[in-house]
Amino acid sequence: MARSSAAPRGLRHAQVKRVRSLLNDRAARRADGVFVAEGLRLIEGLLERVAPLHALVVAPEAHDPRRVSALLERIGATVPVLELESGVAERISTTVNAQGLFAEVPAAMAD
């Protein structure tokens, strides 16, 4: 990946817990006014719609590393990126086959 998270381990843990909470808890998403998109194709589609990303979460096992690198270049430094440790995406994902890539976007963009 093109970036690495400079966040201390405790902060990264809190960020991962937040993503897991948003993925699993509709009330948390509603309270924060966000939607969590999972998967490269969905996130690329949101960017095509000019959706602002609040955050991007990337696992080392994310599908299609070349396209993920291009996505990271495209968003530049404007979006905070959290890089997960290997295996974490499978533990927090709500899908059967974790994609290894999550984006937090305003809930209005999910409509």
Side-chain angles (χ1 to χ4, degrees):
M1 302 293 149
R3 301 187 197 184
S4 64
S5 175
R9 185 166 175 74
L11 180 57
R12 275 198 326 261
H13 180 71
Q15 292 168 321
V16 170
K17 283 179 66 173
R18 173 180 159 68
V19 171
R20 182 182 328 169
S21 173
L22 292 171
L23 283 166
N24 292 300
D25 186 353
R26 178 182 292 172
R29 290 190 301 273
R30 186 171 293 141
D32 286 358
V34 298
F35 166 75
V36 179
E38 182 174 358
L40 182 58
R41 196 174 326 167
L42 179 56
I43 295 167
E44 287 173 332
L46 287 168
L47 287 172
E48 291 299 320
R49 291 179 56 194
V50 193
L53 301 184
H54 289 183
L56 188 68
V57 181
V58 183
E61 58 273 8
H63 298 234
D64 201 340
R66 190 181 88 254
R67 283 176 53 203
V68 172
S69 291
L71 175 68
L72 290 171
E73 286 179 28
R74 180 176 177 185
I75 64 172
T78 62
V79 176
V81 175
L82 172 64
E83 289 194 12
L84 300 176
E85 293 179 11
S86 185
V88 174
E90 289 80 17
R91 292 194 301 272
I92 67 171
S93 178
T94 58
T95 62
V96 175
N97 296 314
Q99 299 292 305
L101 191 65
F102 308 89
E104 186 179 320
V105 297
M109 296 307 299
D111 295 336

